[in-house]
Amino acid sequence: MRVGFVGLGVMGLPMARHLMAAGHALAVWARRPESVAPLQAAGAAVAASLPELAAGQALVISMVADAPDVAEVMRALARQAPPGLVAVDMSTIAPAAARRIGEELAAAGIDFVDAPVSGGEVGAIAGTLSIMAGGSESGFARAQPAFACMGKNI
């Protein structure tokens, strides 16, 4: 599957590595070029912008700091989102914020899955995260292969 990933920090970088190891075609974007370097060296495509990252992907995952960052990322992705894109946020944000973001994305024709994780850096590195996903059945089904690469309890 073609997967985009945003948020290549302590948690996101190993999560993205698991996606690549499982054979998913990965594209990444980060505010700091040095954040994408290890994945680019491993074969990931690097997008010049968030809208560019959305173009051509089946699934885009974000793992960023907080709700305002999630909203900013998702709004930018929506500018170039192909029909049927599934946008997944794996950050830990308030349910009300996730619902608002999901409503905005639905209006743009994007299926949103809120999927915070538990297990910390150790679980991200080991690929044993617990993933608590909420969203449409179809969005979850399309995201599930990616979740299986990063977690053990979904």
Side-chain angles (χ1 to χ4, degrees):
M1 173 170 37
R2 295 182 54 83
V3 181
F5 206 102
V6 179
L8 302 171
V10 170
M11 298 286 291
L13 181 61
M15 293 165 70
R17 283 186 171 138
H18 287 297
L19 291 166
M20 288 186 73
H24 296 286
L26 189 70
V28 295
W29 180 86
R31 291 179 182 147
R32 298 183 328 260
E34 62 271 15
S35 296
V36 300
L39 295 169
Q40 184 176 26
V46 177
S49 67
L50 284 167
E52 182 183 298
L53 180 68
Q57 307 306 323
L59 180 76
V60 176
I61 298 170
S62 68
M63 184 62 163
V64 296
D66 55 25
D69 284 349
V70 173
E72 178 184 339
V73 164
M74 295 299 168
R75 287 178 187 133
L77 291 172
R79 290 186 204 124
Q80 294 287 332
L85 178 72
V86 175
V88 176
D89 178 53
M90 300 186 83
S91 315
T92 301
I93 63 174
R99 280 191 292 276
R100 280 192 304 275
I101 292 165
E103 289 167 0
E104 284 184 39
L105 293 178
I110 299 169
D111 205 349
F112 179 68
V113 178
D114 179 34
V117 300
S118 176
E121 181 181 6
V122 171
I125 291 168
T128 58
L129 294 168
S130 291
I131 301 169
M132 298 145 281
S136 70
E137 286 184 36
S138 64
F140 176 80
R142 291 187 51 218
Q144 209 287 329
F147 293 159
C149 300
M150 299 178 283
K152 295 298 178 205
N153 184 19
I154 304 164

